[in-house]
Amino acid sequence: MSYRFEAGRLYRMPTHFGPAPGPRQLPADIVVDRSRSPRRLSVAASFLTDEARLERHLPEGFSLAAEPVVTVEFHYMTEIDWLAGRGYTMIHVSWPARFDGMRDRATGRFLAVVWESLADPIITGRDEIGHPKLYADVDAPRQWDGAQICSAGWMGFRFLELSVTDLCTAPIEQAAASSDGTLMLKYVPRTGAWGEHDVRQVTLTPSADPELVVESRQLGSSAVRFNRAAWADLPTMYHVVNALADLPVIEPRGGRVQRSRGGKTYLDQRVLT
Amino acid sequence: MSYRFEAGRLYRMPTHFGPAPGPRQLPADIVVDRSRSPRRLSVAASFLTDEARLERHLPEGFSLAAEPVVTVEFHYMTEIDWLAGRGYTMIHVSWPARFDGMRDRATGRFLAVVWESLADPIITGRDEIGHPKLYADVDAPRQWDGAQICSAGWMGFRFLELSVTDLCTAPIEQAAASSDGTLMLKYVPRTGAWGEHDVRQVTLTPSADPELVVESRQLGSSAVRFNRAAWADLPTMYHVVNALADLPVIEPRGGRVQRSRGGKTYLDQRVLT
Amino acid sequence: MSYRFEAGRLYRMPTHFGPAPGPRQLPADIVVDRSRSPRRLSVAASFLTDEARLERHLPEGFSLAAEPVVTVEFHYMTEIDWLAGRGYTMIHVSWPARFDGMRDRATGRFLAVVWESLADPIITGRDEIGHPKLYADVDAPRQWDGAQICSAGWMGFRFLELSVTDLCTAPIEQAAASSDGTLMLKYVPRTGAWGEHDVRQVTLTPSADPELVVESRQLGSSAVRFNRAAWADLPTMYHVVNALADLPVIEPRGGRVQRSRGGKTYLDQRVLT
Amino acid sequence: MSYRFEAGRLYRMPTHFGPAPGPRQLPADIVVDRSRSPRRLSVAASFLTDEARLERHLPEGFSLAAEPVVTVEFHYMTEIDWLAGRGYTMIHVSWPARFDGMRDRATGRFLAVVWESLADPIITGRDEIGHPKLYADVDAPRQWDGAQICSAGWMGFRFLELSVTDLCTAPIEQAAASSDGTLMLKYVPRTGAWGEHDVRQVTLTPSADPELVVESRQLGSSAVRFNRAAWADLPTMYHVVNALADLPVIEPRGGRVQRSRGGKTYLDQRVLT
């Protein structure tokens, strides 16, 4: 007898071995404390760029919601509950945007691309949340000479370098509530009908993350550099890296090093229309 | 101005930087020779298992099409054109199955799970083809003492060991045309409506692969072992590995080591209904 | 003109490009703070074993100096100054011993084997200090369910698993001064005269490490497991792992998780005779 | 009872667990065929440089023996018997030199530095042979668009890029017997007497390698590039890479791609005086 899908349970490919464990579905006997996991070192750097060039990387229905400031953030995560205490690193690239849909409107952070150092959350994030995740080898974070230094590459080609220098401790501020959250575009191509899609929808992560506790915060000067790649250097994503490398750095807008604990599972992710 | 999707071009998340290069969409100036790429070392081992247990891992509409023989294959690929000459490894787990749909019928190899050692083809394969791909660290192939030895793990936990021993050269035979191809189930969960799906469809890779040339072929005795895992060992896929570990090995059915070149891009992949 | 060695400068192979930068020789313009670097998470577990079996792994001139208690310690180090803020992991295996030489006597910790996750300190440590260092892939430390979990392997074969559970915060105690330090045997084989040696000498790291500051300390229950290996699993060190696996665990003697900063450069390392 | 060293057996640190298995000492029950192992893909590229600058990287007693032509070779090895069928990659940097010692004279290839992608042969080679080996992450070889492409880095910093293009099949020629072999300098620093050494001796690998069989050979145009590094990029070897980067490429001298099998164990390595 073939199997049936169990109602109300999350599945991912391959579906043939039962509901899939992951960040939003843990085994029944696993108890987690969302206020403790993950532990996170976040290093962010921002720069002002050209408005017209940045808009070209916004999907239909979106417009810039503020100054064209690009933020690149490395999140080095450890003690992740759904990985039984292991860790991995995320890199977020975002800028402020507004979505005007048929029904919904939202203003927030447009998450343009995510790189991660582990395939498992890439799979769960793309499928379940619509996170635009790609893979990168992320070097371990370096703290040296008063600076926090971050870098990422793929198969030996280093495509991203970021540093925050002249670090000064800053008060821990609560995230401003002026944003509806993080916006992204989920897209799944249609098999066999090449160029068409099965899913193309705007999804939103609401701002609220009550379990997240910021433990320390430093501010500093920032530098971000995307290194232009030939197709042969990054054959699945040279177009992404080069588009970001082509954004002029008109003015650095500072950096931030933050340590935090806890966070949500994104079960509040929802589709906007 | 926001961007528009170009008609007839393949996109993947993130879509904001233009059509996505990949196995089925190369830059216009890249010339490839499908009869040369990839170079492939394939190591396969099969075993007879219990029919009733195996059927539990077939989706609705599928039934076993022959003896319940599970085949595990490692494909070590190099000189891959769409990776500019790089390589990676695939592991296929399959058994014979028949699909009876509303309209379509097909008999062939049911591809139950794929592990790959590189995130990029995992992303393209899941999205574009419906390949049920997960990530594994695959050890380099070992040829030692007349045996070909393969193994794979995740974060230090070795979950799969396979070997083919007593290797003897065999004639190169053409793939039997008795199969319609490879069958799989594409599944994409629905964001926000947890437990529901946006895509659930049977897809077929037709058998024909005219560019594939087998260069050598050896047969031998096989051994396959899936090592049972605790959730903490493989927190995103212990259920897959344990289901396979629970399939009894009633009888080994031999192994095969094959070297080949060339192959298709899966643009012939199609949805069955 | 060929080069000359500069007096008073440290060299390592290859010597042809000048004095070698490393933990004991930094470029002149690099300023470090030994009280800050490295940051260290140390996880230790001990067990009582059989005295006669343990003594077989002591070189001539050495004897057990206390109960036959083996201690295995993982040191996850970050923010290492001589690596410009990078990190790596050391694993120490030691037991109490006494050395009675022609001239010198010392009692302390006999460092029987060290594994490290980075080749660079393996080279500097073997050559300059006489550290008996081998390479291992060390998994990132896992903190999960009140336990600290450590593991190490080589090419996919996990040979060492260690955990400390039921962790309780403990007062920070100063290292007891009852020990002269850490003892080891430096050995360099003689090229061409196979089986002979160029160097075979006992070296000592004196106990004092005034820059080391322990920041926190937890105690708990310990478990250590060395997994027996075939030659084909660990062809350069199965003899080491199996010798340790063969030591019976008569009684666990507890574990410790400690966080610290700072430490010395081992320039106080000296040869005993 | 402490252990005794067994006469005539090879030891390496740690010596406490018995004679050390390795390339020159296999377990008694392991049978190898030196004419089959290893399988080797060798990619070499040469360039003419400045004589005076090159001589500065020759030790005392050495002089240039021919034109100042530097050769960089990647050797991708698989099916290595002493690693039970596993593989790793060596990078050799050499130029022609002559050694005039107190007693011995020899002319051959001066092996200035070796990088390897695996710590185990680094340890055995440095200790037993005097190979000047350092660690590098070596990317898998890429064959693409009629070129063979090689690269190496360390912790994400790519320091060496080499390619051989316009490949043409060439006859397999026997290695010219005009050379006495490969010359190198073994050096072991003295512990505690910083700046002094315990071993500093010239060692020679005689040319003869009767088990090596070249299977194919291609010639082409070559390009080699060492990328200059800051100390923070390569804190243990920026001096080596920068010295090589500073050698002017006066003229490329061609490249070679060779496939071979078999080879010796270096038990013929000897010290010159």
Side-chain angles (χ1 to χ4, degrees), chain A residues 79-103:
Chain A
E79 301 182 27
I80 298 174
D81 50 15
W82 66 271
L83 289 173
R86 295 175 183 83
Y88 69 93
T89 300
M90 302 189 296
I91 305 169
H92 286 179
V93 179
S94 64
W95 51 81
R98 169 188 174 86
F99 172 65
D100 290 281
M102 300 289 281
R103 194 190 64 195

PDB file of all heavy atoms in Angstrom, chain A residues 79-103:
ATOM      1  N   GLU A  79      24.132  27.018  18.455  1.00  0.00           N
ATOM      2  CA  GLU A  79      23.138  26.499  19.418  1.00  0.00           C
ATOM      3  C   GLU A  79      21.725  26.572  18.850  1.00  0.00           C
ATOM      4  O   GLU A  79      20.783  26.948  19.545  1.00  0.00           O
ATOM      5  CB  GLU A  79      23.230  27.251  20.755  1.00  0.00           C
ATOM      6  CG  GLU A  79      24.611  27.133  21.385  1.00  0.00           C
ATOM      7  CD  GLU A  79      24.742  27.833  22.734  1.00  0.00           C
ATOM      8  OE1 GLU A  79      23.724  27.985  23.438  1.00  0.00           O
ATOM      9  OE2 GLU A  79      25.875  28.211  23.090  1.00  0.00           O
ATOM     10  N   ILE A  80      21.594  26.180  17.599  1.00  0.00           N
ATOM     11  CA  ILE A  80      20.278  26.199  16.953  1.00  0.00           C
ATOM     12  C   ILE A  80      19.503  24.957  17.374  1.00  0.00           C
ATOM     13  O   ILE A  80      19.959  23.833  17.174  1.00  0.00           O
ATOM     14  CB  ILE A  80      20.447  26.225  15.417  1.00  0.00           C
ATOM     15  CG1 ILE A  80      21.185  27.499  14.986  1.00  0.00           C
ATOM     16  CG2 ILE A  80      19.099  26.113  14.729  1.00  0.00           C
ATOM     17  CD1 ILE A  80      21.522  27.552  13.517  1.00  0.00           C
ATOM     18  N   ASP A  81      18.334  25.170  17.935  1.00  0.00           N
ATOM     19  CA  ASP A  81      17.594  24.041  18.505  1.00  0.00           C
ATOM     20  C   ASP A  81      17.234  22.999  17.451  1.00  0.00           C
ATOM     21  O   ASP A  81      17.438  21.807  17.654  1.00  0.00           O
ATOM     22  CB  ASP A  81      16.360  24.508  19.277  1.00  0.00           C
ATOM     23  CG  ASP A  81      15.471  25.477  18.518  1.00  0.00           C
ATOM     24  OD1 ASP A  81      15.626  25.591  17.285  1.00  0.00           O
ATOM     25  OD2 ASP A  81      14.601  26.097  19.158  1.00  0.00           O
ATOM     26  N   TRP A  82      16.719  23.436  16.314  1.00  0.00           N
ATOM     27  CA  TRP A  82      16.241  22.457  15.325  1.00  0.00           C
ATOM     28  C   TRP A  82      17.390  21.733  14.629  1.00  0.00           C
ATOM     29  O   TRP A  82      17.160  20.765  13.902  1.00  0.00           O
ATOM     30  CB  TRP A  82      15.275  23.112  14.334  1.00  0.00           C
ATOM     31  CG  TRP A  82      15.862  24.154  13.429  1.00  0.00           C
ATOM     32  CD1 TRP A  82      15.974  25.486  13.679  1.00  0.00           C
ATOM     33  CD2 TRP A  82      16.412  23.939  12.130  1.00  0.00           C
ATOM     34  NE1 TRP A  82      16.565  26.116  12.613  1.00  0.00           N
ATOM     35  CE2 TRP A  82      16.839  25.196  11.642  1.00  0.00           C
ATOM     36  CE3 TRP A  82      16.586  22.813  11.314  1.00  0.00           C
ATOM     37  CZ2 TRP A  82      17.432  25.356  10.393  1.00  0.00           C
ATOM     38  CZ3 TRP A  82      17.180  22.970  10.062  1.00  0.00           C
ATOM     39  CH2 TRP A  82      17.593  24.230   9.614  1.00  0.00           C
ATOM     40  N   LEU A  83      18.635  22.168  14.867  1.00  0.00           N
ATOM     41  CA  LEU A  83      19.811  21.418  14.404  1.00  0.00           C
ATOM     42  C   LEU A  83      20.506  20.735  15.583  1.00  0.00           C
ATOM     43  O   LEU A  83      21.692  20.425  15.511  1.00  0.00           O
ATOM     44  CB  LEU A  83      20.780  22.342  13.663  1.00  0.00           C
ATOM     45  CG  LEU A  83      20.287  22.822  12.287  1.00  0.00           C
ATOM     46  CD1 LEU A  83      21.242  23.865  11.718  1.00  0.00           C
ATOM     47  CD2 LEU A  83      20.164  21.638  11.309  1.00  0.00           C
ATOM     48  N   ALA A  84      19.778  20.525  16.659  1.00  0.00           N
ATOM     49  CA  ALA A  84      20.326  19.831  17.831  1.00  0.00           C
ATOM     50  C   ALA A  84      21.589  20.508  18.337  1.00  0.00           C
ATOM     51  O   ALA A  84      22.536  19.842  18.754  1.00  0.00           O
ATOM     52  CB  ALA A  84      20.570  18.351  17.528  1.00  0.00           C
ATOM     53  N   GLY A  85      21.584  21.831  18.283  1.00  0.00           N
ATOM     54  CA  GLY A  85      22.694  22.582  18.866  1.00  0.00           C
ATOM     55  C   GLY A  85      23.792  22.966  17.891  1.00  0.00           C
ATOM     56  O   GLY A  85      24.768  23.583  18.289  1.00  0.00           O
ATOM     57  N   ARG A  86      23.637  22.601  16.635  1.00  0.00           N
ATOM     58  CA  ARG A  86      24.643  23.006  15.639  1.00  0.00           C
ATOM     59  C   ARG A  86      24.387  24.444  15.166  1.00  0.00           C
ATOM     60  O   ARG A  86      23.422  25.082  15.596  1.00  0.00           O
ATOM     61  CB  ARG A  86      24.599  22.059  14.437  1.00  0.00           C
ATOM     62  CG  ARG A  86      24.987  20.629  14.765  1.00  0.00           C
ATOM     63  CD  ARG A  86      24.799  19.726  13.560  1.00  0.00           C
ATOM     64  NE  ARG A  86      25.101  18.338  13.877  1.00  0.00           N
ATOM     65  CZ  ARG A  86      24.255  17.484  14.447  1.00  0.00           C
ATOM     66  NH1 ARG A  86      23.041  17.878  14.781  1.00  0.00           N
ATOM     67  NH2 ARG A  86      24.617  16.229  14.685  1.00  0.00           N
ATOM     68  N   GLY A  87      25.224  24.898  14.248  1.00  0.00           N
ATOM     69  CA  GLY A  87      25.076  26.253  13.750  1.00  0.00           C
ATOM     70  C   GLY A  87      25.305  26.362  12.268  1.00  0.00           C
ATOM     71  O   GLY A  87      25.708  25.405  11.614  1.00  0.00           O
ATOM     72  N   TYR A  88      25.022  27.533  11.737  1.00  0.00           N
ATOM     73  CA  TYR A  88      25.384  27.873  10.356  1.00  0.00           C
ATOM     74  C   TYR A  88      25.299  29.378  10.219  1.00  0.00           C
ATOM     75  O   TYR A  88      24.928  30.078  11.174  1.00  0.00           O
ATOM     76  CB  TYR A  88      24.497  27.148   9.331  1.00  0.00           C
ATOM     77  CG  TYR A  88      23.063  27.609   9.284  1.00  0.00           C
ATOM     78  CD1 TYR A  88      22.661  28.599   8.381  1.00  0.00           C
ATOM     79  CD2 TYR A  88      22.118  27.080  10.137  1.00  0.00           C
ATOM     80  CE1 TYR A  88      21.338  29.028   8.338  1.00  0.00           C
ATOM     81  CE2 TYR A  88      20.802  27.505  10.107  1.00  0.00           C
ATOM     82  CZ  TYR A  88      20.416  28.477   9.209  1.00  0.00           C
ATOM     83  OH  TYR A  88      19.126  28.899   9.175  1.00  0.00           O
ATOM     84  N   THR A  89      25.647  29.881   9.059  1.00  0.00           N
ATOM     85  CA  THR A  89      25.681  31.330   8.852  1.00  0.00           C
ATOM     86  C   THR A  89      24.751  31.730   7.712  1.00  0.00           C
ATOM     87  O   THR A  89      24.686  31.044   6.697  1.00  0.00           O
ATOM     88  CB  THR A  89      27.120  31.774   8.551  1.00  0.00           C
ATOM     89  OG1 THR A  89      27.941  31.433   9.668  1.00  0.00           O
ATOM     90  CG2 THR A  89      27.199  33.275   8.320  1.00  0.00           C
ATOM     91  N   MET A  90      24.054  32.842   7.942  1.00  0.00           N
ATOM     92  CA  MET A  90      23.211  33.463   6.907  1.00  0.00           C
ATOM     93  C   MET A  90      23.814  34.807   6.515  1.00  0.00           C
ATOM     94  O   MET A  90      24.330  35.525   7.376  1.00  0.00           O
ATOM     95  CB  MET A  90      21.827  33.803   7.459  1.00  0.00           C
ATOM     96  CG  MET A  90      21.026  32.669   8.023  1.00  0.00           C
ATOM     97  SD  MET A  90      19.300  33.179   8.393  1.00  0.00           S
ATOM     98  CE  MET A  90      19.556  34.418   9.681  1.00  0.00           C
ATOM     99  N   ILE A  91      23.690  35.167   5.265  1.00  0.00           N
ATOM    100  CA  ILE A  91      24.017  36.517   4.808  1.00  0.00           C
ATOM    101  C   ILE A  91      22.753  37.087   4.161  1.00  0.00           C
ATOM    102  O   ILE A  91      22.195  36.470   3.250  1.00  0.00           O
ATOM    103  CB  ILE A  91      25.154  36.496   3.760  1.00  0.00           C
ATOM    104  CG1 ILE A  91      26.380  35.778   4.319  1.00  0.00           C
ATOM    105  CG2 ILE A  91      25.496  37.914   3.306  1.00  0.00           C
ATOM    106  CD1 ILE A  91      27.445  35.481   3.257  1.00  0.00           C
ATOM    107  N   HIS A  92      22.334  38.230   4.637  1.00  0.00           N
ATOM    108  CA  HIS A  92      21.140  38.893   4.097  1.00  0.00           C
ATOM    109  C   HIS A  92      21.552  40.150   3.340  1.00  0.00           C
ATOM    110  O   HIS A  92      22.342  40.931   3.838  1.00  0.00           O
ATOM    111  CB  HIS A  92      20.206  39.324   5.242  1.00  0.00           C
ATOM    112  CG  HIS A  92      19.456  38.216   5.885  1.00  0.00           C
ATOM    113  ND1 HIS A  92      18.583  38.412   6.931  1.00  0.00           N
ATOM    114  CD2 HIS A  92      19.432  36.887   5.629  1.00  0.00           C
ATOM    115  CE1 HIS A  92      18.057  37.253   7.292  1.00  0.00           C
ATOM    116  NE2 HIS A  92      18.566  36.314   6.527  1.00  0.00           N
ATOM    117  N   VAL A  93      20.960  40.359   2.177  1.00  0.00           N
ATOM    118  CA  VAL A  93      21.125  41.620   1.460  1.00  0.00           C
ATOM    119  C   VAL A  93      19.732  42.217   1.295  1.00  0.00           C
ATOM    120  O   VAL A  93      18.836  41.553   0.755  1.00  0.00           O
ATOM    121  CB  VAL A  93      21.791  41.406   0.083  1.00  0.00           C
ATOM    122  CG1 VAL A  93      21.922  42.737  -0.658  1.00  0.00           C
ATOM    123  CG2 VAL A  93      23.153  40.737   0.245  1.00  0.00           C
ATOM    124  N   SER A  94      19.569  43.438   1.770  1.00  0.00           N
ATOM    125  CA  SER A  94      18.219  44.015   1.773  1.00  0.00           C
ATOM    126  C   SER A  94      18.268  45.520   1.590  1.00  0.00           C
ATOM    127  O   SER A  94      19.318  46.149   1.717  1.00  0.00           O
ATOM    128  CB  SER A  94      17.518  43.684   3.092  1.00  0.00           C
ATOM    129  OG  SER A  94      18.210  44.292   4.165  1.00  0.00           O
ATOM    130  N   TRP A  95      17.101  46.083   1.268  1.00  0.00           N
ATOM    131  CA  TRP A  95      16.943  47.541   1.213  1.00  0.00           C
ATOM    132  C   TRP A  95      15.471  47.861   1.492  1.00  0.00           C
ATOM    133  O   TRP A  95      14.613  46.966   1.431  1.00  0.00           O
ATOM    134  CB  TRP A  95      17.444  48.112  -0.113  1.00  0.00           C
ATOM    135  CG  TRP A  95      16.923  47.460  -1.356  1.00  0.00           C
ATOM    136  CD1 TRP A  95      15.719  47.681  -1.958  1.00  0.00           C
ATOM    137  CD2 TRP A  95      17.602  46.478  -2.158  1.00  0.00           C
ATOM    138  NE1 TRP A  95      15.618  46.905  -3.082  1.00  0.00           N
ATOM    139  CE2 TRP A  95      16.755  46.171  -3.233  1.00  0.00           C
ATOM    140  CE3 TRP A  95      18.848  45.855  -2.085  1.00  0.00           C
ATOM    141  CZ2 TRP A  95      17.098  45.238  -4.228  1.00  0.00           C
ATOM    142  CZ3 TRP A  95      19.201  44.939  -3.056  1.00  0.00           C
ATOM    143  CH2 TRP A  95      18.336  44.630  -4.107  1.00  0.00           C
ATOM    144  N   PRO A  96      15.168  49.094   1.798  1.00  0.00           N
ATOM    145  CA  PRO A  96      13.800  49.438   2.195  1.00  0.00           C
ATOM    146  C   PRO A  96      12.863  49.463   0.995  1.00  0.00           C
ATOM    147  O   PRO A  96      13.200  50.017  -0.053  1.00  0.00           O
ATOM    148  CB  PRO A  96      13.943  50.843   2.796  1.00  0.00           C
ATOM    149  CG  PRO A  96      15.193  51.401   2.203  1.00  0.00           C
ATOM    150  CD  PRO A  96      16.092  50.231   1.916  1.00  0.00           C
ATOM    151  N   ALA A  97      11.704  48.845   1.145  1.00  0.00           N
ATOM    152  CA  ALA A  97      10.772  48.810   0.019  1.00  0.00           C
ATOM    153  C   ALA A  97       9.333  48.807   0.515  1.00  0.00           C
ATOM    154  O   ALA A  97       9.050  48.522   1.686  1.00  0.00           O
ATOM    155  CB  ALA A  97      11.023  47.587  -0.851  1.00  0.00           C
ATOM    156  N   ARG A  98       8.482  49.102  -0.420  1.00  0.00           N
ATOM    157  CA  ARG A  98       7.054  49.130  -0.144  1.00  0.00           C
ATOM    158  C   ARG A  98       6.380  48.268  -1.192  1.00  0.00           C
ATOM    159  O   ARG A  98       6.741  48.294  -2.372  1.00  0.00           O
ATOM    160  CB  ARG A  98       6.582  50.571  -0.287  1.00  0.00           C
ATOM    161  CG  ARG A  98       5.096  50.762  -0.285  1.00  0.00           C
ATOM    162  CD  ARG A  98       4.776  52.237  -0.645  1.00  0.00           C
ATOM    163  NE  ARG A  98       3.340  52.377  -0.789  1.00  0.00           N
ATOM    164  CZ  ARG A  98       2.514  52.622   0.223  1.00  0.00           C
ATOM    165  NH1 ARG A  98       2.988  52.804   1.442  1.00  0.00           N
ATOM    166  NH2 ARG A  98       1.216  52.693   0.020  1.00  0.00           N
ATOM    167  N   PHE A  99       5.432  47.479  -0.743  1.00  0.00           N
ATOM    168  CA  PHE A  99       4.673  46.635  -1.666  1.00  0.00           C
ATOM    169  C   PHE A  99       3.225  47.125  -1.726  1.00  0.00           C
ATOM    170  O   PHE A  99       2.579  47.298  -0.695  1.00  0.00           O
ATOM    171  CB  PHE A  99       4.710  45.174  -1.208  1.00  0.00           C
ATOM    172  CG  PHE A  99       3.798  44.274  -1.985  1.00  0.00           C
ATOM    173  CD1 PHE A  99       4.009  44.037  -3.338  1.00  0.00           C
ATOM    174  CD2 PHE A  99       2.700  43.670  -1.370  1.00  0.00           C
ATOM    175  CE1 PHE A  99       3.151  43.211  -4.061  1.00  0.00           C
ATOM    176  CE2 PHE A  99       1.837  42.849  -2.087  1.00  0.00           C
ATOM    177  CZ  PHE A  99       2.066  42.613  -3.437  1.00  0.00           C
ATOM    178  N   ASP A 100       2.759  47.339  -2.920  1.00  0.00           N
ATOM    179  CA  ASP A 100       1.359  47.690  -3.122  1.00  0.00           C
ATOM    180  C   ASP A 100       0.713  46.606  -3.957  1.00  0.00           C
ATOM    181  O   ASP A 100       0.947  46.531  -5.173  1.00  0.00           O
ATOM    182  CB  ASP A 100       1.249  49.041  -3.830  1.00  0.00           C
ATOM    183  CG  ASP A 100       1.661  50.183  -2.931  1.00  0.00           C
ATOM    184  OD1 ASP A 100       0.851  50.590  -2.085  1.00  0.00           O
ATOM    185  OD2 ASP A 100       2.826  50.618  -3.040  1.00  0.00           O
ATOM    186  N   GLY A 101      -0.027  45.733  -3.303  1.00  0.00           N
ATOM    187  CA  GLY A 101      -0.643  44.611  -4.008  1.00  0.00           C
ATOM    188  C   GLY A 101      -2.089  44.902  -4.348  1.00  0.00           C
ATOM    189  O   GLY A 101      -2.579  46.023  -4.168  1.00  0.00           O
ATOM    190  N   MET A 102      -2.759  43.877  -4.843  1.00  0.00           N
ATOM    191  CA  MET A 102      -4.169  44.022  -5.165  1.00  0.00           C
ATOM    192  C   MET A 102      -4.957  44.302  -3.885  1.00  0.00           C
ATOM    193  O   MET A 102      -5.884  45.100  -3.868  1.00  0.00           O
ATOM    194  CB  MET A 102      -4.700  42.716  -5.786  1.00  0.00           C
ATOM    195  CG  MET A 102      -3.991  42.311  -7.047  1.00  0.00           C
ATOM    196  SD  MET A 102      -4.408  43.404  -8.415  1.00  0.00           S
ATOM    197  CE  MET A 102      -6.038  42.735  -8.854  1.00  0.00           C
ATOM    198  N   ARG A 103      -4.520  43.628  -2.852  1.00  0.00           N
ATOM    199  CA  ARG A 103      -5.273  43.725  -1.603  1.00  0.00           C
ATOM    200  C   ARG A 103      -4.414  44.263  -0.472  1.00  0.00           C
ATOM    201  O   ARG A 103      -4.847  45.027   0.358  1.00  0.00           O
ATOM    202  CB  ARG A 103      -5.765  42.316  -1.245  1.00  0.00           C
ATOM    203  CG  ARG A 103      -6.819  42.256  -0.202  1.00  0.00           C
ATOM    204  CD  ARG A 103      -7.048  40.826   0.239  1.00  0.00           C
ATOM    205  NE  ARG A 103      -5.855  40.274   0.888  1.00  0.00           N
ATOM    206  CZ  ARG A 103      -5.651  38.972   1.124  1.00  0.00           C
ATOM    207  NH1 ARG A 103      -6.550  38.083   0.729  1.00  0.00           N
ATOM    208  NH2 ARG A 103      -4.555  38.585   1.722  1.00  0.00           N
TER     209      ARG A 103
END
